[in-house]
Every structure is written in structure tokens, then in C-alpha cells.
Amino acid sequence: MSGNERTVVHVMRHGEVENPEGVLYGRLPGFHLSGLGVRMAERVAEHLAGRDITHVVASTLERARETAEPIARSHGVEVATDVRLIEAENAFQGKEFGVGDGALRRPANWPLLRNPFRPSWGEPYAEQVARMRAALGAARDAARGHEAVAVSHQLPIWMLRSSVERRRLWHDPRKRQCTLASLTSFTFVGDDIVSITYTEPALDLVPAHLRAGARPVKGARGYGA
């Protein structure tokens, strides 16, 4: 095969999750797409229907696999899984931890917040980059000369993009450009990334306070996952 083949890997964030208790669900099992999340996944499947997609892969978490299913179905392929696409580990998993809820003022949380550059509350940014780059390369190899979709989670996707674009990894979570059901698409020529594009096919379905660049809303929990 030529070393100059063009391959595109669309790294997708999953759709909205059913989360009535408003917890940071992280890697916990049992969190599925909401009805709106299913509609988001179907919308992206419609958006990608005419693309040359030969490989669909997802994180092992339910919300990612459920997001991938309509895309895989429309292209006649099975959903593969790759644990390297999983959500970042977070010590606040299973707890309420949202904008304006006072979590940062609780003394019990302070030891976990001592180093935002690593970060001290969860999986190091550098480790997220390493596994996401490996997963991106695997998806590229599986779809050489065609296109792939890899469904993952907000923070790991943002770490991947930040690394490829050579930006610092520590950041303000409110400024991540990675809305629910968005596509961060990496175009390769051979093994080399030649461009990155960002699209939001389901933007009209995303609540305004969860869109990229939106002002934070007190009690909102849209930055993780």
C-alpha cells in the first residue's frame, strides 16, 4: 500500500447522558445515553452517512458504545472497543462536582486540588495524551485509505487535540472546544497528521449552557465526561 494514502479519523464525543443525580460519572458503569443523547448520536450518523467510513471504535463505557452504534449500523460495520479511548480517571467520580456548587471550598477536597498542572485529582494529562495518540494511530491503521470514527470523552479528546496542536495541557475546562456529539477530525497522509477540523453536527440539540465557550451555569455539570 502507498505511504501517501489519505485517511481521516473522526474522534467523537458521546451524546448526552442520563444522569438525574448530577454526579460526575467518570468511569462508573451503568450510565447510558438519555433520549436526547440518542437523538444526538442519530444526527451525527446522518451527517456521516455519505462518508467512506470502514471502521467504528468506541470507549468501553456504555455511553460511548451507544453513541457509536447508529454510525456503525449505517455503514454496515460492527462497533469495536478500545480501552485507550476511556474517560480520564477522576478522584471525584461518583460525587457531585459542578460549577458553583462549592466543591472547591470544601477542605476535604483541597489535597486533591493541590496541583492543577498534572492534575492531582486524576489521571495525568501526559498519560491521557499517550493512550489517546495510540488509539488514534490504531484507528488510522484500521481504516487506511478510508475513514474511521472513534467515540471517546471530552477531556481525553481535548488532551489529544492540544497535544497535536502543541498547546499546553493544563487549561480552563470551560474553554474546551469539545461539545457533546462533536467531531474532532484528524486527516492523515500516510502516518502524518496534515489537518484537524472541528464540527458540531448536533449543535441545535445541545443545551445552550453545554456548548463550547458557553458561560458556566451554577450547578451545571457539563465539563466532564
Side-chain angles (χ1 to χ4, degrees), residues 108-139:
N109 290 338
W110 293 349
L112 296 172
L113 300 170
R114 66 187 181 276
N115 184 357
F117 303 104
R118 185 179 184 267
S120 51
W121 55 83
E123 182 183 12
Y125 293 141
E127 292 182 11
Q128 294 179 51
V129 168
R131 64 176 172 83
M132 287 296 290
R133 277 186 170 267
L136 180 68

Side-chain angles (χ1 to χ4, degrees), residues 28 117 194 201:
L28 292 174
F117 303 104
V194 296

Side-chain angles (χ1 to χ4, degrees), residues 106-183:
R106 297 171 193 157
N109 290 338
W110 293 349
L112 296 172
L113 300 170
R114 66 187 181 276
N115 184 357
F117 303 104
R118 185 179 184 267
S120 51
W121 55 83
E123 182 183 12
Y125 293 141
E127 292 182 11
Q128 294 179 51
V129 168
R131 64 176 172 83
M132 287 296 290
R133 277 186 170 267
L136 180 68
R140 175 203 62 208
D141 291 345
R144 288 275 185 184
H146 304 280
E147 301 187 25
V149 176
V151 183
S152 186
H153 307 266
Q154 187 192 60
L155 179 54
I157 295 171
W158 187 244
M159 289 295 93
L160 174 63
R161 180 176 171 184
S162 296
S163 171
V164 173
E165 294 181 339
R166 298 184 179 182
R167 285 183 279 106
R168 70 188 185 197
L169 300 182
W170 64 272
H171 61 285
D172 182 342
R174 297 168 296 182
K175 296 182 179 179
R176 296 173 190 160
Q177 190 182 42
C178 192
T179 298
L180 289 165
S182 61
L183 298 170

Side-chain angles (χ1 to χ4, degrees), residues 80-124:
T81 56
D82 188 334
V83 70
R84 294 172 295 191
L85 294 169
I86 200 168
E87 174 64 290
E89 185 180 14
N90 193 309
F92 295 104
Q93 174 178 292
K95 302 177 182 179
E96 294 186 16
F97 193 88
V99 175
D101 68 359
L104 299 180
R105 296 193 297 273
R106 297 171 193 157
N109 290 338
W110 293 349
L112 296 172
L113 300 170
R114 66 187 181 276
N115 184 357
F117 303 104
R118 185 179 184 267
S120 51
W121 55 83
E123 182 183 12

